[in-house]
Each structure stands twice: as structure tokens, then as C-alpha cells.
Amino acid sequence: MKVLIADDEPNILLSLEFLMKKEGYRVFIARDGKEAYDLIQQEMPDLLLLDIMMPGMDGYELCRFVKNTEGFRHMKVIFLSAKSKEADLKKGYEAGADLYLPKPFSTRELVAKVAEMSAQA
């Protein structure tokens, strides 16, 4: 399974990349929304781990693009964000997210959810 991780925080990118590779996933990383947008089209990942607040293009825009574009709709989207108010979560799910985990999140829970979603793919 291919996983795209998009976050503008280098430490989060590194730790998530390590975590997902350890689980055996093929991992792509993007440092901003535009890079993620390009990688989505080039690499066709199965699952996206998206931050919301990123330069270039935010996570909501990316999620809407994926969920509204033929050929990409099957991609699962998990938001990982410091925006943790109920309105933020609602906005994420309205954009089409399959899951929204507010930061800080449990890596154990994230790994379990990714495994669950990969089994459905």
C-alpha cells in the first residue's frame, strides 16, 4: 500500500515516515500542499495522511480535490491536525475525510487505523 504524508512540520514528517515504513508501507512525503497535489497525481497513493494548515494548498482543498476527482475518490484520507475544535472536525469530514485525528494523536491508534483502512482497500 502506498501512503502519502503531507505536513509542513519536518519533525512530524520524519516520525510519520519512519512509522509507516516500519509497518511495511511504501511512503511518499510532501512538505506543502502543492507538492502533495503533484504526488497524488504522479504516485496514486492509496492513503493520504494530511495536515490541514500547509502552505500552497491546505488539507481541506486537497481532500476535496481527491474526493471530487474521478480516479482518485478511492483514496482514503486521514487528517492529522492541531485544529481540534468540533467545528474543525466537522469541516474535515465535510471535505470528505475518512478519519480526523487531532494532534497530539496516539501513534498506536494511527497505525491501527491505517491497517484497518488498508484491509478495506
Side-chain angles (χ1 to χ4, degrees), residues 4-14 17 21 27-39 49-58 62:
L4 171 68
I5 305 165
D7 201 304
D8 60 342
E9 173 53 51
N11 292 333
I12 291 176
L13 267 183
L14 282 176
E17 181 183 24
K21 282 185 173 174
V27 178
F28 302 92
I29 58 170
R31 291 158 197 86
D32 61 45
K34 176 69 173 89
E35 191 176 3
Y37 177 82
D38 292 341
L39 282 170
L49 300 178
L50 299 179
D51 186 17
I52 290 177
M53 297 177 288
M54 294 184 289
M57 192 174 187
D58 70 26
L62 277 171

Side-chain angles (χ1 to χ4, degrees), residues 21-113:
K21 282 185 173 174
K22 196 175 107 189
E23 295 299 314
Y25 301 120
R26 189 162 167 217
V27 178
F28 302 92
I29 58 170
R31 291 158 197 86
D32 61 45
K34 176 69 173 89
E35 191 176 3
Y37 177 82
D38 292 341
L39 282 170
I40 288 167
Q41 295 175 77
Q42 291 165 15
E43 302 298 338
M44 297 292 289
D46 304 293
L47 179 90
L48 313 176
L49 300 178
L50 299 179
D51 186 17
I52 290 177
M53 297 177 288
M54 294 184 289
M57 192 174 187
D58 70 26
Y60 296 130
E61 289 175 82
L62 277 171
C63 186
R64 279 189 219 103
F65 166 72
V66 165
K67 296 300 183 179
N68 292 319
T69 304
E70 190 66 41
F72 296 155
R73 287 189 190 123
H74 68 283
M75 295 176 185
K76 301 288 184 189
V77 175
I78 299 178
F79 278 127
L80 304 171
S81 178
K83 294 170 87 66
S84 59
K85 292 179 186 161
E86 193 172 314
D88 299 320
L89 275 71
K90 185 178 177 206
K91 191 173 176 183
Y93 285 115
E94 284 174 355
D98 296 282
L99 183 66
Y100 191 122
L101 294 176
K103 292 177 184 173
F105 52 86
S106 153
T107 54
R108 185 174 296 178
E109 182 183 3
L110 176 62
V111 167
K113 294 294 184 186

